[in-house]
Amino acid sequence: MVSGSCHCGKVKFEVEGAPAEAMECNCSHCSRKGFLLWFVPRAHLRSGTPVDALSSYRFNRHVIDHRFCPDCGCAPFSLGTAPDGAETAAINIRCLEGIDLSAVKRIAVDGRSF
């Protein structure tokens, strides 16, 4: 179990497991914000802050619900549905505590082509 938060600490969450790899997407949203995303089943994310208390942003096909703190603007996770219909969460590993980012394998994703 790893813990995370937004910058100001208003949004707190826990995730089962630990990221061995993360997606580094080149789409306009991810590249501008510097996201490193670890996808997990939605049930593995436990938000200590009610999800409805976070702000939401959807773009392009509007299928991913990017959640962010309404105070500091930090975006620790997004919610969506995998192609097989499973509910997923995309965790921004930069918001996790105690993660050595240099030890996490980065997988390049060509999100600009989606």
Side-chain angles (χ1 to χ4, degrees):
M1 186 78 67
V2 291
S3 298
S5 69
C6 64
H7 186 256
C8 72
K10 181 177 183 175
V11 177
K12 296 182 186 304
F13 63 98
E14 293 181 329
V15 185
E16 288 180 35
E21 59 185 38
M23 297 173 109
E24 189 168 25
C25 179
N26 67 0
C27 78
S28 60
H29 187 248
C30 291
S31 62
R32 282 182 173 87
K33 292 189 175 181
F35 290 146
L36 290 175
L37 300 174
W38 170 39
F39 284 82
V40 299
R42 174 65 178 91
H44 289 196
L45 170 66
R46 290 179 191 78
S47 181
T49 306
V51 174
D52 291 342
L54 282 74
S55 294
S56 177
Y57 177 65
R58 293 176 184 238
F59 71 105
N60 196 6
R61 293 181 286 156
H62 300 268
V63 296
I64 300 174
D65 187 15
H66 301 277
R67 292 295 177 145
F68 62 96
C69 177
D71 289 347
C72 69
C74 190
F77 58 83
S78 300
L79 306 174
T81 305
D84 67 0
E87 290 186 334
T88 62
I91 310 301
N92 180 4
I93 67 169
R94 292 184 185 276
C95 294
L96 296 175
E97 297 170 10
I99 297 295
D100 178 3
L101 294 176
S102 66
V104 177
K105 179 181 177 183
R106 295 178 188 206
I107 308 297
V109 175
D110 185 14
R112 289 182 186 154
S113 298
F114 291 168

